[in-house]
């Protein structure tokens, strides 16, 4: 079965092998050296002033960011389940919340954020997904961050990059906290989250908030290559191997480029067989299709063609399907996926099979090669 859900994503064999090593004690020079290597690779990936690794899923890092960086009112952007979560976290932690809500295919506008910030001087942090996984859309986070900082540079910008870090280059100039998680673009099992922090964020954190998710304490420990509590040793070993492999495979720029090409080719291929891309601004992390037969297509993909794709949640249940684009994905795998979708449409009697999807994918993905041969 090909796992094509946008989280969890497949864990490559080399990483599984690395993680099969004997258990290491976390308070040893041996593990500290691994931690130091991993930190260095993460600094390179995130380009932030500080990097913190937590033993939690992505939501733990979202909560740590909100509690440590927001002391009054959080402005959050709800164009889907993960954006909604930021607001829920703020309220559960005794903070105030202002939410900008849109349909799940609609990115927030810079103007709406600017207006909300100007209307409420108590807003001291803005939280937004870079890629909102609920509908596979890209928010204009960099533009939002710039506009908010122009109003008040003290306002913290929290960017959830759980399906963006490792997918595309993110301009962190005005971002104070960039969040990543293990089981999406980083191709690892769930259980590890990462926060990249700006120096402004570090000063706002001060002594930190809370106990387990107190970032001040973690910053102190992790800058000494250890962790406040037991480190997720196995996952960190896996993370180091993934980050090393990205470098060995031509660097992060190549991964970004391959991902962008593949996501575009997939969308073109599916549109060429009459399907509709759901988000107004598609993220590169996944291809999201809204369709009245979404459930049937998903079932056929799984049962007849051995492809596991994700459906939708809440009001989009049965209305969309989402195909992962994160991680090391071979073009031959994606060709099979778009071909399987075309076969599923034929099986549903929607369209006669003629191989359009795989042809369009190949033409788009291998455009540069095909052009060279024409000369
Ligand atoms: C998966 C995901 C999360 C975190 O979810 P966990 O289940 O806690 O790992 C947060 N934000 C986005 C955009 C995600 O895709």
């Amino acid at each position: 079965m090909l796992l094509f859900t946008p989280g969890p994503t497949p864990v490559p064999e080399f990483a599984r092998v690395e993680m099969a090593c004997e258990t290491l004690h976390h308070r040893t020079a041996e593990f500290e050296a691994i931690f130091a290597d991993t930190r260095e690779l993460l600094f390179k990936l995130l380009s932030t002033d500080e990097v913190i690794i937590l033993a939690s899923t992505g939501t733990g890092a979202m909560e740590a960011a909100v509690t440590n960086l927001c002391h009054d009112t959080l402005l959050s952007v709800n164009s889907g389940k993960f954006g909604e979560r930021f607001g829920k976290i703020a309220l559960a932690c005794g903070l105030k919340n202002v939410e900008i809500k849109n349909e799940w295919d609609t990115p927030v506008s810079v103007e709406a954020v600017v207006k909300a910030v100007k209307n409420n001087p108590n807003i001291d942090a803005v939280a937004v997904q870079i890629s909102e996984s609920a509908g596979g859309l890209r928010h204009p986070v960099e533009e939002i961050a710039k506009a908010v900082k122009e109003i008040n540079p003290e306002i913290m910008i929290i960017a959830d990059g759980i399906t963006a870090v490792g997918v595309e280059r993110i301009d962190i100039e005005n971002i104070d906290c960039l969040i990543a998680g293990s089981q999406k673009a980083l191709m690892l099992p769930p259980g590890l989250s990462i926060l990249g922090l700006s120096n402004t964020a570090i000063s706002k954190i001060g002594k930190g908030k809370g106990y387990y998710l107190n970032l001040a304490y973690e910053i102190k420990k992790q800058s000494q290559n250890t962790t406040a509590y037991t480190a997720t040793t196995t996952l960190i070993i896996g993370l180091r191997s993934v980050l090393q492999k990205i470098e060995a495979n031509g660097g992060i720029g190549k991964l970004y480029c391959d991902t962008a090409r593949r996501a575009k080719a997939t969308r073109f291929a599916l549109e060429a067989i009459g399907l509709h891309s759901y988000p107004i601004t598609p993220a590169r992390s996944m291809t999201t299709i809204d369709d009245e037969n979404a459930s049937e297509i998903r079932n056929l993909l799984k049962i007849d063609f051995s492809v596991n794709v994700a459906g939708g949640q809440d009001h989009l249940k049965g209305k969309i399907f989402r195909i992962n684009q994160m991680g090391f994905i071979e073009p031959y795998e994606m060709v099979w996926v778009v071909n399987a979708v075309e076969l599923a449409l034929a099986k549903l009697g929607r369209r006669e099979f003629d191989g359009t999807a795989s042809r369009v994918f190949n033409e788009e993905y291998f455009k540069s090669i095909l052009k060279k041969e024409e000369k």
Side-chain angles (χ1 to χ4, degrees):
M1 181 76 73
L2 289 176
L3 180 63
F4 265 90
T5 55
T9 60
V11 180
E13 188 181 5
F14 69 84
R16 283 182 274 129
V17 169
E18 281 286 315
M19 290 187 290
C21 64
E22 282 185 0
T23 301
L24 277 176
H25 195 281
H26 55 293
R27 308 284 183 210
T28 54
E30 200 184 355
F31 181 70
E32 281 171 20
I34 294 171
F35 195 85
D37 285 351
T38 312
R39 250 173 86 75
E40 198 173 305
L41 289 158
L42 281 176
F43 272 112
K44 227 177 140 184
L45 177 68
L46 299 175
S47 311
T48 48
D49 298 319
E50 185 53 88
V51 164
I52 294 300
I53 303 174
L54 294 178
S56 76
T57 68
T59 307
M62 291 168 75
E63 179 163 335
V66 170
T67 55
N68 286 269
L69 293 174
C70 178
H71 299 158
D72 192 319
T73 304
L74 180 77
L75 173 65
S76 56
V77 166
N78 175 355
S79 293
K81 231 177 159 51
F82 295 102
E84 179 186 51
R85 189 170 297 176
F86 269 130
K88 287 184 171 175
I89 290 170
L91 295 175
C93 297
L95 297 161
K96 283 174 274 175
N97 177 231
V98 175
E99 184 181 79
I100 302 174
K101 198 169 175 178
N102 282 311
E103 190 39 66
W104 290 15
D105 62 349
T106 309
V108 70
S109 71
V110 180
E111 298 72 42
V113 174
V114 165
K115 195 172 148 211
V117 168
K118 285 186 173 164
N119 279 346
N120 189 336
N122 294 328
I123 290 170
D124 62 338
V126 175
V128 58
Q129 275 56 42
I130 298 174
S131 153
E132 168 55 79
S133 316
L137 80 85
R138 176 68 156 89
H139 283 299
V141 176
E142 292 92 337
E143 291 87 339
I144 289 169
K146 185 164 182 278
V148 171
K149 290 288 182 187
E150 276 164 14
I151 302 168
N152 179 358
E154 298 295 311
I155 297 175
M156 292 287 111
I157 307 292
I158 301 167
D160 171 358
I162 292 173
T163 52
V165 173
V167 172
E168 58 173 312
R169 198 173 298 286
I170 298 152
D171 176 5
I172 51 111
E173 196 183 338
N174 297 297
I175 292 174
D176 294 294
C177 178
L178 178 62
I179 301 170
S182 56
Q183 81 275 24
K184 311 273 173 83
L186 297 176
M187 303 170 247
L188 290 166
L192 185 148
S193 66
I194 296 153
L195 297 117
L197 299 166
S198 71
N199 285 330
T200 325
I202 295 169
S203 34
K204 175 121 186 204
I205 289 166
K207 290 193 172 121
K209 279 276 166 65
Y211 190 83
Y212 185 64
L213 298 177
N214 184 311
L215 292 180
Y217 197 34
E218 288 292 353
I219 291 168
K220 185 168 165 238
K221 289 291 175 180
Q222 297 194 22
S223 55
Q224 297 159 23
N225 293 319
T226 187
T227 49
Y229 314 105
T230 308
T232 51
T233 47
T234 307
L235 287 171
I236 290 168
I237 288 166
L239 176 59
R240 181 178 66 163
S241 77
V242 166
L243 297 174
Q244 285 171 337
K245 184 67 90 184
I246 291 173
E247 302 257 302
N249 279 1
I252 192 68
K254 177 165 189 309
L255 180 58
Y256 292 155
C257 177
D258 289 349
T259 305
R261 280 167 71 202
R262 193 178 55 247
K264 193 172 174 198
T266 305
R267 184 159 52 81
F268 281 17
L270 298 181
E271 285 173 349
I273 54 172
L275 294 174
H276 178 253
S277 168
Y278 174 69
I280 294 169
T281 48
R284 292 176 187 170
S285 53
M286 66 196 75
T287 307
T288 306
I289 298 294
D290 56 320
D291 195 277
E292 54 178 2
N293 297 125
S295 284
E296 290 91 336
I297 294 171
R298 255 187 92 204
N299 282 335
L300 286 169
L301 287 177
K302 196 164 181 178
I303 293 159
D304 291 9
F305 307 111
S306 297
V307 178
N308 190 359
V309 302
Q313 293 163 293
D314 294 358
H315 66 293
L316 291 185
K317 200 170 186 329
K319 299 215 163 76
I320 59 166
F321 63 92
R322 294 173 296 153
I323 302 171
N324 176 49
Q325 298 290 352
M326 295 175 279
F328 297 133
I329 299 173
E330 295 294 345
Y332 58 76
E333 290 181 322
M334 196 55 85
V335 168
W336 174 250
V337 175
V338 298
N339 181 64
V341 174
E342 185 174 347
L343 286 166
L345 291 187
K347 197 145 181 184
L348 289 169
R350 291 249 305 251
R351 191 183 168 281
E352 207 162 310
F353 181 85
D354 59 6
T356 296
S358 53
R359 178 178 56 75
V360 170
F361 182 93
N362 282 313
E363 282 172 356
E364 181 59 34
Y365 191 85
F366 294 108
K367 204 156 54 180
S368 57
I369 298 176
L370 298 174
K371 275 211 188 95
K372 263 177 218 151
E373 282 174 358
E374 269 169 26
K375 279 178 198 163

